Amino acid sequence: MQKLLLIRHGESIWNQQNRFTGWTDVDLSENGYRQAKRAGQLLKKHCYTFDTGFCSVLKRSIKTLDIVLEEMDLLWIPVQKSWRLNERFYGALQGLNKDEVTAQYGAEQVHKWRRDPHELPPAITKDDDRYPGKDPRYKNLTERELPLTENLSETMDRVLPFWHENIVAAIRMNQKVIVSAHGNSLRALIQYIDHLSDEEVTQLDLPTGVPLIYELDDQLNRIRHYYLE
């Protein structure tokens, strides 16, 4: 049996302000720092250890992983960062308050934008300051890989290659793996691991900063999963 640890980053400043975040590089809130620290303390208390870590290229994911590993005295393990683990790109919604967007477009439409795996939020244009092509961390991405908007299905399309090529490869080498990512990149991954339908994944909501343990068989099928609280 293999164990895999998934953790959604601690609460961010924009989570606190109820804003759509996406690829905007927002820091953790004070509560988010506390959540990450508590997660690390819990994992250490329950005698978990890790050989390698994975996270996105966004600071809320990076800092969460760093804080967890620091609490566990594991800052020395190798960590791989990838844009493929980034949050879903919310297009023109990024930075907007969710309540204000709901008042403008209606609860049903906003729920579709947030939860329907095939519903695309309004897109930005390439001259928008939020266009990731202007960010040096994405300079090696092709134009096709630089989103103007993104739904959950498209998020899964970029997460799964990284899962198979990097995370699964580490697990196959009997390494103990921790992944620090985002609400939607983890939802995409969980939909794949748990074989969830589109309808089932719309109901999936991940708390910030709480370790989610997966126990997997030798074929990496889920035996069970549970939160460590």
Side-chain angles (χ1 to χ4, degrees):
M1 182 185 73
Q2 301 281 2
K3 287 188 178 180
L4 169 69
L5 188 286
L6 306 179
I7 185 168
R8 182 184 175 191
H9 62 78
E11 180 191 67
S12 74
I13 294 170
W14 278 13
N15 289 148
Q16 193 177 59
Q17 295 174 356
N18 199 31
R19 296 181 181 275
F20 289 98
T21 309
W23 286 24
T24 309
D25 201 14
V26 177
D27 206 344
L28 296 173
S29 67
E30 289 186 12
N31 184 47
Y33 279 95
R34 289 193 295 268
Q35 289 176 337
K37 187 169 184 176
R38 180 177 180 272
Q41 292 169 345
L42 266 175
L43 289 162
K44 185 175 182 179
K45 176 183 175 181
H46 289 276
C47 299
Y48 281 84
T49 189
F50 301 105
D51 301 305
T52 192
F54 299 93
C55 63
S56 76
V57 296
L58 299 170
K59 69 178 70 172
R60 57 194 187 273
S61 168
I62 297 168
K63 288 186 175 182
T64 296
L65 183 55
D66 282 350
I67 294 166
V68 168
L69 294 179
E70 183 171 21
E71 290 297 318
M72 301 179 72
D73 196 25
L74 289 175
L75 274 175
W76 55 272
I77 70 169
V79 171
Q80 184 175 347
K81 304 178 182 72
S82 174
W83 68 275
R84 291 186 177 276
L85 294 176
N86 275 14
E87 177 59 293
R88 172 185 168 193
F89 191 83
Y90 267 107
L93 297 181
Q94 292 182 172
L96 302 183
N97 180 277
K98 293 174 184 176
D99 290 337
E100 293 174 359
V101 173
T102 299
Q104 182 176 356
Y105 294 99
E108 183 178 353
Q109 180 59 67
V110 173
H111 181 75
K112 287 182 180 179
W113 283 334
R114 295 186 65 190
R115 297 299 188 185
D116 189 320
H118 306 289
E119 188 82 10
L120 286 168
I124 60 167
T125 58
K126 292 181 181 179
D127 59 357
D128 193 301
D129 289 340
R130 295 168 290 185
Y131 177 56
K134 298 182 178 183
D135 191 319
R137 80 192 80 189
Y138 307 118
K139 64 183 179 181
N140 294 323
L141 270 62
T142 65
E143 187 170 349
R144 184 177 179 181
E145 291 171 330
L146 293 168
L148 301 175
T149 183
E150 195 174 43
N151 59 32
L152 184 64
S153 178
E154 291 169 334
T155 305
M156 182 184 285
D157 287 343
R158 62 170 162 84
V159 169
L160 287 186
F162 190 82
W163 161 255
H164 290 295
E165 295 167 18
N166 301 87
I167 301 174
V168 167
I171 296 172
R172 294 287 189 201
M173 294 172 64
N174 292 316
Q175 294 186 330
K176 299 177 179 67
V177 172
I178 178 171
V179 179
S180 170
H182 304 263
N184 283 293
S185 53
L186 290 177
R187 284 175 69 226
L189 186 54
I190 289 168
Q191 182 177 15
Y192 176 78
I193 296 173
D194 286 351
H195 306 291
L196 299 180
S197 67
D198 286 348
E199 184 176 350
E200 288 171 326
V201 80
T202 63
Q203 308 302 317
L204 181 63
D205 196 15
L206 301 176
T208 54
V210 181
L212 175 58
I213 313 297
Y214 268 79
E215 294 180 358
L216 307 171
D217 65 19
D218 291 341
Q219 286 72 47
L220 303 188
N221 297 309
R222 187 200 75 193
I223 299 171
R224 66 174 182 141
H225 64 251
Y226 50 91
Y227 286 106
L228 192 66
E229 296 183 279

